[in-house]
Amino acid sequence: MASIFTKIINGEIPCYKIAETEDFFAFLDINPNAKGHTLCVPKQEVNKIMDLDEKTYMELMAFSRRIGQALEKTIDCNRVGIAVIGLEVPHVHVHLIPINEMRDMTFSHKVSLTEQEFVELAAAIRENL
Ligand code: AMP
């Protein structure tokens, strides 16, 4: 069965899209640790990051860096933190989290955004790509 992220990539489930290339897709995390929390996903559906082939792994990191640079331009933050977990969704994804303090990297610390805030945030990040 297709993962929820494959369904997002295929447009079957809505998302706040940030960027798409032939091989990668980025969108806002729906339950963010901090404003601008973004997920970068390879279209290839692989469960664990250590199982990615080296080329895709390197390209995912390059794609994530490009998105992270746009996040740093858009969001007032100290820096963008990176995490890879995958315990909830078994389809490789890089969490990019604009952080000001350590708790922003804690997945039990969440912020809530309105629909309009998500829409405006995604547009602002896209403008800085
Ligand atoms: P993990 O697999 O533990 O790295 O976490 C999966 C992440 O995906 C969580 O931060 C969720 O909030 C996020 N997530 C799950 N479903 C969606 C969705 N439909 N749209 C955006 N983010 C999602």
Side-chain angles (χ1 to χ4, degrees):
M1 198 178 77
S3 76
I4 189 166
F5 290 168
T6 294
K7 289 179 182 167
I8 287 174
I9 291 163
N10 291 339
E12 295 162 35
I13 293 178
C15 73
Y16 302 102
K17 183 172 166 179
I18 302 296
E20 178 173 12
T21 67
E22 194 179 332
D23 297 317
F24 302 99
F25 199 97
F27 53 97
L28 294 178
D29 194 299
I30 203 68
N31 189 20
N33 290 19
K35 196 175 163 190
H37 184 165
T38 298
L39 303 176
C40 297
V41 184
K43 291 183 179 176
Q44 185 188 351
E45 195 176 314
V46 170
N47 178 356
K48 298 190 283 181
I49 194 163
M50 297 308 167
D51 290 338
L52 277 184
D53 63 86
E54 188 172 335
K55 178 172 177 287
T56 307
Y57 176 91
M58 299 302 279
E59 289 176 356
L60 172 62
M61 289 305 152
F63 177 76
S64 301
R65 178 171 178 265
R66 185 178 143 235
I67 306 300
Q69 287 172 332
L71 291 177
E72 286 188 346
K73 279 190 209 159
T74 312
I75 316 270
D76 183 19
C77 63
N78 181 289
R79 64 195 56 224
V80 170
I82 293 185
V84 176
I85 302 176
L87 289 173
E88 181 185 328
V89 179
H91 181 160
V92 173
H93 49 284
V94 173
H95 293 262
L96 298 178
I97 306 168
I99 55 174
N100 288 300
E101 50 188 314
M102 188 55 91
R103 74 170 187 164
D104 296 330
M105 288 301 292
T106 309
F107 283 74
S108 52
H109 174 258
K110 297 291 177 181
V111 299
S112 72
L113 299 177
T114 65
E115 162 87 27
Q116 181 160 346
E117 285 172 323
F118 272 117
V119 169
E120 288 175 0
L121 188 54
I125 297 165
R126 286 195 303 268
E127 275 182 22
N128 281 321
L129 283 169

